[in-house]
Amino acid sequence: MKTFLHVGDIGCLQTALAEAREIKADRYKYEHLGHHRTALLIFFNNSLRTRLSTQKAARNLGLDVIVLDVNQGAWKLETERGVIMDGDKSEHLLEAIPVMASYCDLIGVRTFAGLTDREADYSERILGQFIRYSGKPVFSMESATAHPLQAFADLITIEEHRDKKRPKVVLTWAPHPRALPQAVPNSFAEWMRAADVDLVVTHPEGYELDPLFVGDARVEYDQMRAFEGADFVYAKNWSCPGVTRPADYGQVINRDMSWTVGSRQMAVTNDAHFMHCLPVRRNMIVTDDVIEGPRSLVIPEAANREISATVVLKRILEGLQ
Ligand code: CP
């Protein structure tokens, strides 16, 4: 595997899930694969889970790990071509990428959407430059439009907790005080469509996700109706994707607190499990009682980030042999 951004990069999901089970039973089974290899993890944005779980996954595979927080301790990087660099950015990404790549065998990149220019975000400009100019395998640790390591961990978690062949999985928008990217809901929708689940997406009007990710999944604007009979509820905020109203791209266009997931909505589900990628704003996205309740999976879901990352890095290392 040379790049990891979309669900198609991982191939057969059943095979990937079987590998996840194998690795969960013996995390160090493939420790030899990373011997004398180095993973570089580059963060343009903050992270707790991705930072720790990807490092742990790399070490499970015997890799050396270098972590770089761009703009904190390194030179500030310019990412746009043609800019007269007379500001506070001392180095251009186009020099920095090949230099960084010379010290490693594979590269993970976290680079969030700017949320001002839909075309720039949806063309994955920064991740694309790493793919084009590094000459090394590149995997997303959440990029402008996708968070595949999270979606793979979410799928592993659903596989572990489902009690029917084709569970009903509801992806619900919930309110948040700040504008957030669409990467997590995009990837969640993409991966659930590829898996054997009954996916329903619910959000206020104007929050329609890009068809590239959501495809022909059922969209229900009535949150209570969407929740009826759900086996899994996946809550997430996202800013306006600009699909129906391009001028609103990246904006907070709804603050309706009735969308906060609480016992009222969970009561109409099939005793659904609650999921969220974390970090989560309590009593904005979800009430205390639901996230702390017996059906909440947020902790095992986060723990599965180590497993999804180990499978992905293993696949990349196998491609280097
Ligand atoms: N879910 C997730 O990616 O968490 P972090 O932003 O803390 O890495």
Side-chain angles (χ1 to χ4, degrees):
M1 190 162 67
K2 290 264 190 285
T3 58
F4 180 64
L5 181 59
H6 292 294
V7 67
D9 296 326
I10 199 97
C12 170
L13 279 186
Q14 287 310 319
T15 304
L17 287 167
E19 278 180 46
R21 283 192 293 274
E22 179 190 40
I23 282 166
K24 199 155 183 175
D26 180 2
R27 281 154 214 248
Y28 301 102
K29 183 168 182 180
Y30 296 99
E31 201 174 1
H32 58 284
L33 286 178
H35 185 60
H36 287 182
R37 303 270 195 198
T38 300
L40 173 60
L41 309 182
I42 302 172
F43 290 89
F44 286 82
N45 306 96
N46 293 340
S47 166
L48 187 154
R49 279 142 291 274
T50 306
R51 177 184 297 267
L52 299 184
S53 64
T54 312
Q55 288 186 65
K56 177 66 168 68
R59 295 205 168 101
N60 290 348
L61 295 161
L63 279 158
D64 285 329
V65 186
I66 304 171
V67 179
L68 179 70
D69 289 295
V70 174
N71 303 333
Q72 291 173 33
W75 303 111
K76 284 195 176 177
L77 292 179
E78 178 56 62
T79 58
E80 297 299 317
R81 275 192 84 239
V83 170
I84 296 171
M85 289 174 59
D86 60 355
D88 64 341
K89 293 175 178 165
S90 305
E91 181 154 20
H92 202 286
L93 198 58
L94 292 178
E95 284 79 55
I97 288 173
V99 169
M100 293 189 285
S102 71
Y103 308 137
C104 67
D105 299 282
L106 61 157
I107 304 175
V109 183
R110 166 163 284 207
T111 173
F112 287 170
L115 296 180
T116 54
D117 180 343
R118 180 180 158 80
E119 192 278 328
D121 289 342
Y122 274 74
S123 64
E124 291 285 4
R125 241 176 231 173
I126 293 179
L127 192 75
Q129 292 188 68
F130 276 93
I131 293 168
R132 203 168 310 123
Y133 299 116
S134 71
K136 298 287 161 68
V138 173
F139 62 98
S140 166
M141 298 195 298
E142 184 171 347
S143 58
T145 65
H147 196 356
L149 286 173
Q150 179 66 53
F152 187 16
D154 298 334
L155 179 60
I156 294 167
T157 309
I158 288 172
E159 278 296 302
E160 289 174 341
H161 290 87
R162 73 188 164 99
D163 58 10
K164 62 174 70 154
K165 184 172 176 334
R166 196 161 187 273
K168 178 176 178 179
V169 177
V170 176
L171 167 62
T172 182
W173 180 91
H176 193 279
R178 295 178 47 226
L180 297 184
Q182 297 108 40
V184 168
N186 280 347
S187 284
F188 186 76
E190 182 189 49
W191 283 66
M192 289 303 116
R193 282 174 50 231
D196 192 16
V197 307
D198 174 17
L199 175 66
V200 178
V201 182
T202 183
H203 52 72
E205 289 193 28
Y207 279 93
E208 290 76 13
L209 293 166
D210 193 298
L212 176 69
F213 296 94
V214 82
D216 59 359
R218 184 180 143 207
V219 175
E220 174 59 71
Y221 295 107
D222 181 332
Q223 190 192 37
M224 290 300 285
R225 189 179 297 167
F227 273 47
E228 284 171 8
D231 299 296
F232 293 87
V233 167
Y234 194 98
K236 186 71 183 82
N237 173 268
W238 61 90
S239 60
C240 176
V243 170
T244 51
R245 287 181 297 216
D248 288 343
Y249 176 68
Q251 302 295 308
V252 176
I253 59 171
N254 193 312
R255 299 177 190 274
D256 184 352
M257 294 290 284
S258 74
W259 283 76
T260 302
V261 177
S263 54
R264 176 177 64 87
Q265 292 97 327
M266 296 303 279
V268 302
T269 69
N270 181 30
D271 197 17
H273 292 283
F274 175 81
M275 300 178 71
H276 187 281
C277 63
L278 303 181
V280 70
R281 300 243 184 176
R282 283 178 175 225
N283 304 306
M284 290 288 304
I285 302 284
V286 59
T287 58
D288 290 324
D289 57 324
V290 170
I291 196 169
E292 292 170 5
R295 303 297 280 173
S296 173
L297 293 178
V298 296
I299 304 305
E301 181 184 355
N304 277 333
R305 292 292 306 277
E306 175 190 347
I307 307 304
S308 66
T310 308
V311 173
V312 168
L313 297 189
K314 168 184 172 284
R315 292 283 188 91
I316 293 172
L317 288 171
E318 286 169 341
L320 293 176
Q321 302 300 311

